Protein backbone atom coordinates (compact mmCIF):
# COMPACT_ATOMS: atom_id res chain seq x y z
CA UNK A 1 0.00 0.00 0.00
CA UNK A 2 2.52 2.55 -1.20
CA UNK A 3 0.07 4.95 -2.83
CA UNK A 4 -0.19 8.15 -0.69
CA UNK A 5 -3.75 8.71 -1.91
CA UNK A 6 -4.84 5.42 -0.35
CA UNK A 7 -3.24 6.39 2.94
CA UNK A 8 -4.92 9.81 2.79
CA UNK A 9 -8.23 8.07 2.27
CA UNK A 10 -7.61 6.12 5.47
CA UNK A 11 -7.36 9.37 7.37
CA UNK A 12 -10.26 10.99 5.56
CA UNK A 13 -12.52 8.07 6.42
CA UNK A 14 -11.33 8.09 9.98
CA UNK A 15 -8.93 5.21 9.81
CA UNK A 16 -5.81 7.11 10.60
CA UNK A 17 -4.77 7.92 13.86
CA UNK A 18 -5.28 8.86 16.98
CA UNK A 19 -5.59 7.74 20.22
CA UNK A 20 -7.26 8.58 23.19
CA UNK A 21 -5.20 10.10 25.67
CA UNK A 22 -3.46 12.76 27.34
CA UNK A 23 -4.86 15.61 28.99
CA UNK A 24 -2.61 18.27 30.05
CA UNK A 25 -4.04 20.89 32.17
CA UNK A 26 -2.56 23.58 34.13
CA UNK A 27 -2.95 25.79 37.05
CA UNK A 28 -0.68 28.68 36.33
CA UNK A 29 0.08 31.77 38.31
CA UNK A 30 0.93 35.29 37.26
CA UNK A 31 4.59 34.42 36.84
CA UNK A 32 3.64 31.80 34.31
CA UNK A 33 1.32 34.26 32.55
CA UNK A 34 4.21 36.67 32.23
CA UNK A 35 6.36 33.94 30.70
CA UNK A 36 3.62 33.16 28.19
CA UNK A 37 3.58 36.85 27.28
CA UNK A 38 -0.19 36.95 26.69
CA UNK A 39 -2.38 39.93 27.58
CA UNK A 40 -4.58 39.10 30.52
CA UNK A 41 -7.77 40.17 28.72
CA UNK A 42 -7.32 38.27 25.42
CA UNK A 43 -7.85 34.51 25.36
CA UNK A 44 -7.88 31.89 22.66
CA UNK A 45 -11.35 30.71 21.62
CA UNK A 46 -10.45 28.55 18.61
CA UNK A 47 -7.26 27.26 17.02
CA UNK A 48 -6.07 24.77 14.43
CA UNK A 49 -2.75 23.03 13.85
CA UNK A 50 -1.60 23.61 10.28
CA UNK A 51 0.66 21.77 7.84
CA UNK A 52 2.00 22.32 4.34
CA UNK A 53 -0.11 21.38 1.33
CA UNK A 54 0.14 17.92 -0.15
CA UNK A 55 2.24 16.87 -3.15
CA UNK A 56 -0.66 17.33 -5.59
CA UNK A 57 -4.20 18.65 -5.72
CA UNK A 58 -5.72 21.93 -4.53
CA UNK A 59 -3.64 22.23 -1.38
CA UNK A 60 -0.50 21.98 -3.54
CA UNK A 61 -1.67 24.24 -6.38
CA UNK A 62 -3.12 26.86 -4.05
CA UNK A 63 -5.60 29.66 -4.75
CA UNK A 64 -5.62 32.37 -7.42
CA UNK A 65 -8.23 35.14 -7.70
CA UNK A 66 -10.39 33.08 -5.35
CA UNK A 67 -12.12 33.50 -2.03
CA UNK A 68 -12.47 30.97 0.75
CA UNK A 69 -15.28 30.90 3.31
CA UNK A 70 -14.20 29.04 6.43
CA UNK A 71 -16.52 28.08 9.29
CA UNK A 72 -15.11 27.63 12.79
CA UNK A 73 -16.76 26.70 16.07
CA UNK A 74 -15.47 28.87 18.91
CA UNK A 75 -15.42 28.01 22.58
CA UNK A 76 -15.44 30.94 25.00
CA UNK A 77 -17.04 34.21 23.89
CA UNK A 78 -16.10 37.86 24.28
CA UNK A 79 -16.77 41.47 23.30
CA UNK A 80 -14.24 41.60 20.45
CA UNK A 81 -12.47 39.15 18.18
CA UNK A 82 -9.19 39.03 16.30
CA UNK A 83 -8.21 36.51 13.63
CA UNK A 84 -4.88 34.81 12.92
CA UNK A 85 -3.96 33.97 9.34
CA UNK A 86 -0.85 31.93 8.62
CA UNK A 87 1.60 31.25 5.82
CA UNK A 88 3.78 29.15 8.07
CA UNK A 89 4.38 26.36 5.55
CA UNK A 90 4.16 28.37 2.35
CA UNK A 91 6.95 28.60 -0.20
CA UNK A 92 6.35 32.23 -1.19
CA UNK A 93 4.72 35.42 0.04
CA UNK A 94 0.90 35.36 -0.03
CA UNK A 95 -1.24 38.44 -0.66
CA UNK A 96 -4.43 38.85 1.37
CA UNK A 97 -6.59 41.13 -0.76
CA UNK A 98 -9.69 41.34 1.42
CA UNK A 99 -10.93 39.56 4.52
CA UNK A 100 -14.04 39.61 6.71
CA UNK A 101 -15.45 37.91 9.77
CA UNK A 102 -19.16 37.38 10.40
CA UNK A 103 -21.70 35.19 12.13
CA UNK A 104 -23.59 32.58 10.11
CA UNK A 105 -27.08 33.26 8.84
CA UNK A 106 -29.09 30.73 10.82
CA UNK A 107 -32.31 31.57 8.98
CA UNK A 108 -31.20 29.75 5.81
CA UNK A 109 -30.15 26.12 5.32
CA UNK A 110 -26.98 27.10 3.42
CA UNK A 111 -23.98 26.97 5.74
CA UNK A 112 -22.15 29.36 3.39
CA UNK A 113 -24.60 32.21 4.07
CA UNK A 114 -23.67 34.84 6.65
CA UNK A 115 -25.71 37.37 8.61
CA UNK A 116 -25.21 40.61 6.66
CA UNK A 117 -25.62 42.75 9.80
CA UNK A 118 -22.60 41.06 11.40
CA UNK A 119 -20.08 41.33 8.54
CA UNK A 120 -16.94 43.12 9.70
CA UNK A 121 -13.96 44.00 7.55
CA UNK A 122 -10.66 42.69 8.82
CA UNK A 123 -7.63 44.98 8.81
CA UNK A 124 -4.00 44.29 9.59
CA UNK A 125 -2.19 47.26 11.06
CA UNK A 126 -4.97 49.44 9.66
CA UNK A 127 -4.71 48.07 6.13
CA UNK A 128 -7.36 45.91 4.47
CA UNK A 129 -4.72 44.28 2.26
CA UNK A 130 -1.50 42.73 3.41
CA UNK A 131 1.30 40.48 2.18
CA UNK A 132 2.10 37.50 4.40
CA UNK A 133 5.80 36.75 3.96
CA UNK A 134 6.87 33.16 3.63
CA UNK A 135 6.65 31.48 7.03
CA UNK A 136 4.78 34.40 8.61
CA UNK A 137 1.53 34.81 10.49
CA UNK A 138 -0.88 37.77 10.52
CA UNK A 139 -2.87 38.96 13.53
CA UNK A 140 -5.84 41.13 12.60
CA UNK A 141 -6.75 44.35 14.34
CA UNK A 142 -9.49 43.84 16.97
CA UNK A 143 -13.03 43.77 15.62
CA UNK A 144 -16.05 45.01 17.61
CA UNK A 145 -18.08 41.84 17.16
CA UNK A 146 -19.54 40.46 20.39
CA UNK A 147 -19.68 36.67 20.32
CA UNK A 148 -21.21 34.23 22.75
CA UNK A 149 -19.92 30.95 24.06
CA UNK A 150 -20.08 28.12 21.51
CA UNK A 151 -20.43 30.70 18.72
CA UNK A 152 -19.78 29.75 15.10
CA UNK A 153 -17.84 32.35 13.12
CA UNK A 154 -17.32 32.61 9.37
CA UNK A 155 -13.98 33.92 8.11
CA UNK A 156 -13.87 34.86 4.41
CA UNK A 157 -10.58 35.69 2.67
CA UNK A 158 -9.88 36.79 -0.92
CA UNK A 159 -6.53 35.86 -2.47
CA UNK A 160 -6.08 38.04 -5.61
CA UNK A 161 -2.84 36.48 -6.84
CA UNK A 162 -1.47 32.91 -6.86
CA UNK A 163 -0.72 31.70 -3.34
CA UNK A 164 1.29 28.66 -4.35
CA UNK A 165 1.54 25.87 -1.81
CA UNK A 166 -1.05 26.34 0.94
CA UNK A 167 -0.79 26.21 4.69
CA UNK A 168 -3.89 24.38 5.90
CA UNK A 169 -5.61 22.06 8.36
CA UNK A 170 -7.01 18.95 6.70
CA UNK A 171 -9.56 17.39 9.03
CA UNK A 172 -12.16 20.04 9.66
CA UNK A 173 -15.24 17.78 10.09
CA UNK A 174 -16.92 20.88 8.73
CA UNK A 175 -17.95 22.13 5.28
CA UNK A 176 -15.93 25.03 3.89
CA UNK A 177 -16.26 26.85 0.60
CA UNK A 178 -14.23 28.24 -2.33
CA UNK A 179 -15.37 30.56 -5.15
CA UNK A 180 -13.97 32.80 -7.91
CA UNK A 181 -13.24 36.48 -7.35
CA UNK A 182 -13.68 38.65 -4.28
CA UNK A 183 -16.62 37.25 -2.33
CA UNK A 184 -15.42 38.17 1.15
CA UNK A 185 -18.25 40.65 1.82
CA UNK A 186 -21.05 38.69 0.12
CA UNK A 187 -23.79 37.73 2.62
CA UNK A 188 -25.02 34.92 0.39
CA UNK A 189 -22.84 31.95 -0.30
CA UNK A 190 -24.04 31.19 -3.83
CA UNK A 191 -20.82 32.52 -5.32
CA UNK A 192 -18.82 29.93 -3.43
CA UNK A 193 -19.27 27.27 -6.07
CA UNK A 194 -16.99 24.62 -4.58
CA UNK A 195 -17.90 22.94 -1.30
CA UNK A 196 -15.03 21.31 0.54
CA UNK A 197 -15.39 18.69 3.26
CA UNK A 198 -11.94 19.62 4.54
CA UNK A 199 -9.46 22.40 4.61
CA UNK A 200 -9.18 25.48 6.75
CA UNK A 201 -6.88 27.37 4.36
CA UNK A 202 -4.38 29.86 5.83
CA UNK A 203 -6.35 30.13 9.12
CA UNK A 204 -4.92 29.23 12.52
CA UNK A 205 -6.75 31.01 15.32
CA UNK A 206 -9.48 33.19 16.81
CA UNK A 207 -8.97 35.19 20.01
CA UNK A 208 -11.64 36.98 22.02
CA UNK A 209 -11.51 39.91 24.43
CA UNK A 210 -13.07 39.11 27.80
CA UNK A 211 -13.79 41.14 30.87
CA UNK A 212 -13.14 38.05 32.97
CA UNK A 213 -10.30 36.30 31.18
CA UNK A 214 -9.70 32.82 32.56
CA UNK A 215 -7.16 31.69 30.00
CA UNK A 216 -7.43 28.72 27.69
CA UNK A 217 -6.76 24.98 27.64
CA UNK A 218 -4.91 23.29 24.78
CA UNK A 219 -5.72 19.82 23.46
CA UNK A 220 -2.52 18.58 21.79
CA UNK A 221 -3.55 15.42 20.06
CA UNK A 222 -4.26 13.40 16.95
CA UNK A 223 -7.35 12.32 15.01
CA UNK A 224 -9.31 11.13 18.05
CA UNK A 225 -9.42 14.72 19.28
CA UNK A 226 -9.58 16.08 15.71
CA UNK A 227 -13.03 14.53 15.43
CA UNK A 228 -12.72 11.47 13.19
CA UNK A 229 -15.77 9.32 13.89
CA UNK A 230 -17.99 12.16 15.10
CA UNK A 231 -20.98 13.71 13.32
CA UNK A 232 -20.00 15.92 10.39
CA UNK A 233 -20.84 19.61 10.98
CA UNK A 234 -21.92 18.57 14.48
CA UNK A 235 -19.08 20.03 16.59
CA UNK A 236 -19.01 16.92 18.76
CA UNK A 237 -15.28 16.32 18.90
CA UNK A 238 -14.32 15.50 22.46
CA UNK A 239 -12.66 18.93 22.98
CA UNK A 240 -15.97 20.54 21.90
CA UNK A 241 -17.84 18.39 24.38
CA UNK A 242 -15.29 19.24 27.05
CA UNK A 243 -16.15 22.92 26.61
CA UNK A 244 -19.87 22.10 26.77
CA UNK A 245 -19.21 20.39 30.09
CA UNK A 246 -17.21 23.38 31.35
CA UNK A 247 -20.06 25.72 30.44
CA UNK A 248 -22.50 23.66 32.45
CA UNK A 249 -20.34 23.54 35.58
CA UNK A 250 -18.05 26.60 35.67
CA UNK A 251 -19.04 30.24 36.36
CA UNK A 252 -18.44 32.64 33.48
CA UNK A 253 -15.62 34.43 35.24
CA UNK A 254 -13.68 31.16 35.52
CA UNK A 255 -14.59 29.73 32.11
CA UNK A 256 -11.50 28.95 29.98
CA UNK A 257 -11.38 28.61 26.22
CA UNK A 258 -10.61 25.20 24.72
CA UNK A 259 -8.13 25.16 21.82
CA UNK A 260 -7.98 22.02 19.73
CA UNK A 261 -4.59 21.90 18.01
CA UNK A 262 -4.91 18.19 17.30
CA UNK A 263 -4.24 16.77 13.87
CA UNK A 264 -5.04 13.48 12.14
CA UNK A 265 -1.93 11.37 11.76
CA UNK A 266 0.06 13.31 14.35
CA UNK A 267 2.99 11.40 15.80
CA UNK A 268 5.48 11.90 18.57
CA UNK A 269 8.78 11.46 16.73
CA UNK A 270 8.06 10.95 13.03
CA UNK A 271 7.80 13.27 10.03
CA UNK A 272 5.00 13.56 7.48
CA UNK A 273 6.84 11.95 4.57
CA UNK A 274 8.69 9.39 6.64
CA UNK A 275 7.93 5.83 5.53
CA UNK A 276 6.50 3.48 8.12
CA UNK A 277 5.27 -0.02 8.78
CA UNK A 278 3.59 -2.19 6.16
CA UNK A 279 4.50 0.00 3.17
CA UNK A 280 3.18 3.24 4.66
CA UNK A 281 4.74 6.05 2.61
CA UNK A 282 3.56 9.14 4.47
CA UNK A 283 2.28 12.44 3.06
CA UNK A 284 2.59 16.15 3.99
CA UNK A 285 -0.70 16.75 5.79
CA UNK A 286 0.40 14.43 8.61
CA UNK A 287 2.78 17.20 9.67
CA UNK A 288 5.97 17.27 11.66
CA UNK A 289 6.93 15.52 14.87
CA UNK A 290 5.39 16.73 18.13
CA UNK A 291 8.57 18.29 19.48
CA UNK A 292 8.93 20.61 16.49
CA UNK A 293 5.35 21.80 17.02
CA UNK A 294 5.73 23.05 20.58
CA UNK A 295 6.65 26.65 19.82
CA UNK A 296 4.01 27.17 17.13
CA UNK A 297 1.12 25.05 18.37
CA UNK A 298 1.48 25.13 22.16
CA UNK A 299 3.62 27.94 23.53
CA UNK A 300 2.23 30.62 21.18
CA UNK A 301 -1.46 30.14 21.98
CA UNK A 302 -3.09 33.18 23.58
CA UNK A 303 -3.53 32.97 27.34
CA UNK A 304 -3.08 29.19 27.51
CA UNK A 305 -2.36 27.73 30.92
CA UNK A 306 -3.08 24.02 30.45
CA UNK A 307 -2.40 21.31 27.89
CA UNK A 308 -4.14 18.02 27.22
CA UNK A 309 -1.79 15.73 25.30
CA UNK A 310 -3.29 13.00 23.11
CA UNK A 311 -0.43 11.38 21.19
CA UNK A 312 1.25 8.01 20.74
CA UNK A 313 -1.09 5.55 19.07
CA UNK A 314 0.04 6.50 15.55
CA UNK A 315 3.64 5.84 16.46
CA UNK A 316 2.53 2.31 17.32
CA UNK A 317 0.30 1.32 14.42
CA UNK A 318 1.96 3.40 11.71
CA UNK A 319 5.60 2.89 12.70
CA UNK A 320 5.69 -0.04 15.12
CA UNK A 321 7.82 1.94 17.57
CA UNK A 322 8.88 0.09 20.73
CA UNK A 323 7.46 1.08 24.13
CA UNK A 324 10.71 2.68 25.31
CA UNK A 325 10.72 5.14 22.39
CA UNK A 326 7.11 6.20 22.96
CA UNK A 327 7.46 6.50 26.72
CA UNK A 328 10.65 8.55 26.41
CA UNK A 329 8.95 10.95 23.99
CA UNK A 330 5.90 11.45 26.23
CA UNK A 331 8.12 12.06 29.26
CA UNK A 332 10.28 14.59 27.41
CA UNK A 333 7.29 16.50 26.04
CA UNK A 334 5.79 16.57 29.53
CA UNK A 335 9.07 17.93 30.90
CA UNK A 336 9.32 20.71 28.34
CA UNK A 337 5.70 21.80 28.64
CA UNK A 338 5.71 21.81 32.46
CA UNK A 339 8.97 23.77 32.46
CA UNK A 340 7.05 26.59 30.77
CA UNK A 341 4.56 26.72 33.63
CA UNK A 342 1.73 24.63 32.20
CA UNK A 343 -0.05 21.77 33.93
CA UNK A 344 0.15 18.53 31.99
CA UNK A 345 -2.45 15.77 32.05
CA UNK A 346 -1.58 12.74 29.97
CA UNK A 347 -3.98 10.05 28.81
CA UNK A 348 -3.58 6.37 28.20
CA UNK A 349 -3.83 5.04 24.64
CA UNK A 350 -7.06 3.46 23.45
CA UNK A 351 -7.56 0.19 21.54
CA UNK A 352 -7.45 -0.25 17.76
CA UNK A 353 -7.96 -3.95 17.03
CA UNK A 354 -10.03 -4.17 13.84
CA UNK A 355 -8.55 -1.10 12.16
CA UNK A 356 -8.29 -2.03 8.48
CA UNK A 357 -5.24 -0.78 6.62
CA UNK A 358 -5.51 -2.92 3.52
CA UNK A 359 -2.17 -4.65 3.09
CA UNK A 360 -0.59 -2.76 5.99
CA UNK A 361 0.22 -4.38 9.30
CA UNK A 362 -2.17 -2.29 11.37
CA UNK A 363 -3.08 -4.25 14.50
CA UNK A 364 -0.84 -7.08 15.64
CA UNK A 365 -0.33 -8.78 19.01
CA UNK A 366 3.11 -7.15 19.15
CA UNK A 367 1.62 -3.68 18.74
CA UNK A 368 -1.02 -4.48 21.33
CA UNK A 369 1.75 -5.42 23.76
CA UNK A 370 3.41 -2.06 23.06
CA UNK A 371 0.19 -0.17 23.72
CA UNK A 372 -0.29 -1.99 27.03
CA UNK A 373 3.32 -1.37 28.05
CA UNK A 374 2.95 2.37 27.44
CA UNK A 375 -0.33 2.47 29.35
CA UNK A 376 1.11 0.46 32.24
CA UNK A 377 3.96 2.95 32.52
CA UNK A 378 1.60 5.93 32.60
CA UNK A 379 -0.62 4.30 35.22
CA UNK A 380 2.29 3.41 37.50
CA UNK A 381 4.21 6.69 37.12
CA UNK A 382 1.42 9.19 37.70
CA UNK A 383 3.64 11.37 39.86
CA UNK A 384 5.65 12.42 36.79
CA UNK A 385 2.59 14.20 35.42
CA UNK A 386 0.03 16.53 36.91
CA UNK A 387 -2.55 13.86 36.18
CA UNK A 388 -3.14 10.74 34.11
CA UNK A 389 -6.57 10.11 32.57
CA UNK A 390 -7.26 6.48 31.73
CA UNK A 391 -8.97 6.91 28.35
CA UNK A 392 -8.19 3.27 27.53
CA UNK A 393 -10.24 2.03 30.46
CA UNK A 394 -13.12 4.32 29.50
CA UNK A 395 -13.46 3.37 25.82
CA UNK A 396 -12.31 -0.27 25.67
CA UNK A 397 -14.69 -3.20 25.44
CA UNK A 398 -14.65 -5.14 28.75
CA UNK A 399 -15.35 -8.33 26.78
CA UNK A 400 -12.29 -7.73 24.57
CA UNK A 401 -9.94 -4.98 25.83
CA UNK A 402 -8.11 -4.90 22.48
CA UNK A 403 -11.22 -3.29 20.94
CA UNK A 404 -13.43 -0.25 21.38
CA UNK A 405 -16.79 -0.68 23.07
CA UNK A 406 -19.30 -1.28 20.26
CA UNK A 407 -21.46 1.61 21.47
CA UNK A 408 -18.45 3.95 21.27
CA UNK A 409 -17.08 2.79 17.91
CA UNK A 410 -17.12 5.45 15.19
CA UNK A 411 -17.05 2.67 12.60
CA UNK A 412 -13.35 2.14 11.96
CA UNK A 413 -12.51 0.50 15.30
CA UNK A 414 -10.10 3.20 16.50
CA UNK A 415 -12.02 6.50 16.59
CA UNK A 416 -14.82 7.09 19.09
CA UNK A 417 -18.22 8.28 17.89
CA UNK A 418 -20.21 11.11 19.50
CA UNK A 419 -21.00 9.02 22.59
CA UNK A 420 -17.43 7.82 22.97
CA UNK A 421 -16.14 11.37 22.60
CA UNK A 422 -18.57 12.51 25.29
CA UNK A 423 -17.22 9.82 27.63
CA UNK A 424 -13.67 11.00 27.01
CA UNK A 425 -14.63 14.61 27.68
CA UNK A 426 -16.34 13.54 30.92
CA UNK A 427 -13.09 12.02 32.17
CA UNK A 428 -11.15 15.28 32.27
CA UNK A 429 -10.69 16.61 35.84
CA UNK A 430 -12.14 20.11 35.63
CA UNK A 431 -10.44 21.24 38.81
CA UNK A 432 -7.10 20.94 37.03
CA UNK A 433 -8.03 23.02 33.98
CA UNK A 434 -9.97 25.82 35.66
CA UNK A 435 -7.92 28.43 37.44
Amino acid sequence: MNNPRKWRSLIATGLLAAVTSTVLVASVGEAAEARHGSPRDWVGSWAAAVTRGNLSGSTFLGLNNQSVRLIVHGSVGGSKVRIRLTNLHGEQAVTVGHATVAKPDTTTPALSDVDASTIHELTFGGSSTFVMPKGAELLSDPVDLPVGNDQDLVVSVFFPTPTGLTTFHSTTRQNNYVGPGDLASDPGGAGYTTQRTCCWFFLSGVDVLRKDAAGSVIVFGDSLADGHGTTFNGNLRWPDQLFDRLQAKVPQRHLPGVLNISRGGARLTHEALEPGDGGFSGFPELGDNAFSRLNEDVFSETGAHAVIMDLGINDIWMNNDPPATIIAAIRQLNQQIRQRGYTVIVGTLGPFNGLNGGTALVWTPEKEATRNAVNDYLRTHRSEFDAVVDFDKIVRDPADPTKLKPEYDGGDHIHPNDAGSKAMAAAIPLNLIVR
Side-chain angles (χ1 to χ4, degrees), residues 169-372:
H169 182 92
S170 174
T171 307
T172 61
R173 302 301 294 171
Q174 168 71 57
N175 285 334
N176 293 295
Y177 303 88
V178 182
D182 184 0
L183 307 170
S185 292
D186 287 14
Y192 290 90
T193 52
T194 301
Q195 178 177 285
R196 302 297 304 272
T197 57
C198 73
C199 306
W200 286 310
F201 289 110
F202 298 104
L203 179 65
S204 61
V206 176
D207 296 339
V208 297
L209 186 69
R210 284 180 64 80
K211 178 181 178 182
D212 297 311
S216 56
V217 177
I218 293 170
V219 178
F220 185 31
D222 49 34
S223 57
L224 269 74
D226 213 10
H228 285 288
T230 61
T231 299
F232 201 80
N233 290 325
N235 299 313
L236 291 169
R237 312 162 189 88
W238 75 253
D240 296 326
Q241 298 199 62
L242 172 61
F243 182 73
D244 294 341
R245 184 170 162 238
L246 284 163
Q247 275 198 94
K249 295 182 176 295
V250 177
Q252 275 290 317
R253 67 183 182 277
H254 296 305
L255 186 64
V258 175
L259 304 178
N260 188 359
I261 52 116
S262 305
R263 187 178 60 225
R267 288 171 284 176
L268 292 164
T269 59
H270 297 283
E271 310 306 320
L273 292 173
E274 184 180 340
D277 192 40
F280 173 74
S281 58
F283 39 96
E285 71 186 54
L286 301 184
D288 300 328
N289 72 81
F291 291 90
S292 68
R293 296 174 55 198
L294 287 177
N295 285 334
E296 172 63 24
D297 289 340
V298 177
F299 301 145
S300 68
E301 296 297 344
T302 304
H305 63 269
V307 180
I308 299 174
M309 191 164 56
D310 182 15
L311 295 166
I313 202 69
N314 292 327
D315 299 79
I316 297 176
W317 84 257
M318 292 165 62
N319 294 91
N320 199 21
D321 282 352
T325 299
I326 295 169
I327 292 167
I330 292 173
R331 295 181 69 198
Q332 177 59 211
L333 285 167
N334 171 63
Q335 212 170 12
Q336 291 194 35
I337 297 169
R338 292 184 75 191
Q339 187 273 332
R340 295 289 189 113
Y342 299 82
T343 298
V344 174
I345 303 172
V346 69
T348 57
L349 309 183
F352 65 101
N353 188 0
L355 177 61
N356 181 11
T359 60
L361 299 173
V362 178
W363 184 91
T364 65
E366 178 188 14
K367 292 178 181 180
E368 179 68 12
T370 295
R371 187 180 72 88
N372 288 327

Side-chain angles (χ1 to χ4, degrees), residues 86-100:
T86 179
N87 189 26
L88 181 66
H89 299 282
E91 295 180 339
Q92 64 184 54
V94 171
T95 299
V96 175
H98 182 201
T100 63

